[in-house]
Amino acid sequence: MEVAVIKSGGKQYLVFPGQKIQIEKIEKEGKIVFDQVLLLVKNEKIKIGKPLVEGARVTGKILGEKKGEKIVILKHRPRSSYRVKKGHRQTYTEVEILEIEG
């Protein structure tokens, strides 16, 4: 069993080989290597980084970009006829984890 915790875009993700994850948008194509590995579990051996595990890396394949669900923002001030409605859709990059080394 191989499991790792990686850091990307200021967020942490628990990953294992074959898993598809959505990370913050990055401008890259093909393969990606995550060097910031915080925790590594391989063959029942646990390595905890202080703050990173040395020599560990996770490789993945970029599948494409997607947009998340729409978030609606409403602003309203009572008794002043002030109403603003805005929407936002965050863009994500979908990555398939290929292998965990370390």
Side-chain angles (χ1 to χ4, degrees):
M1 179 173 153
E2 295 178 342
V3 179
V5 175
I6 61 172
K7 186 177 176 183
S8 174
K11 298 178 182 171
Q12 297 176 6
Y13 301 93
L14 178 68
V15 297
F16 52 89
Q19 180 186 18
K20 294 180 182 177
I21 59 171
Q22 290 183 344
I23 62 173
E24 294 291 323
K25 181 182 173 186
I26 52 174
E27 300 290 333
K28 208 169 187 182
E29 304 247 343
K31 288 192 174 184
I32 183 170
V33 177
F34 298 101
D35 292 332
Q36 294 185 332
V37 179
L38 306 172
L39 175 96
L40 183 66
V41 179
K42 199 167 190 176
N43 300 329
E44 302 299 323
K45 294 182 182 175
I46 300 172
K47 293 181 185 176
I48 300 173
K50 297 179 184 177
L52 302 174
V53 178
E54 288 189 29
R57 59 188 208 160
V58 176
T59 40
K61 182 173 85 174
I62 296 178
L63 302 175
E65 291 183 2
K66 290 186 174 183
K67 283 191 169 185
E69 291 186 21
K70 187 166 197 171
I71 299 172
V72 178
I73 296 102
L74 294 171
K75 292 183 181 180
H76 170 71
R77 299 240 170 90
R79 298 182 304 274
S80 65
S81 299
Y82 175 78
R83 290 180 186 89
V84 176
K85 182 178 179 180
K86 293 182 181 179
H88 176 75
R89 289 184 73 184
Q90 186 69 35
T91 308
Y92 296 102
T93 301
E94 190 171 27
V95 177
E96 180 181 4
I97 303 300
L98 299 176
E99 67 177 328
I100 299 173
E101 300 173 10

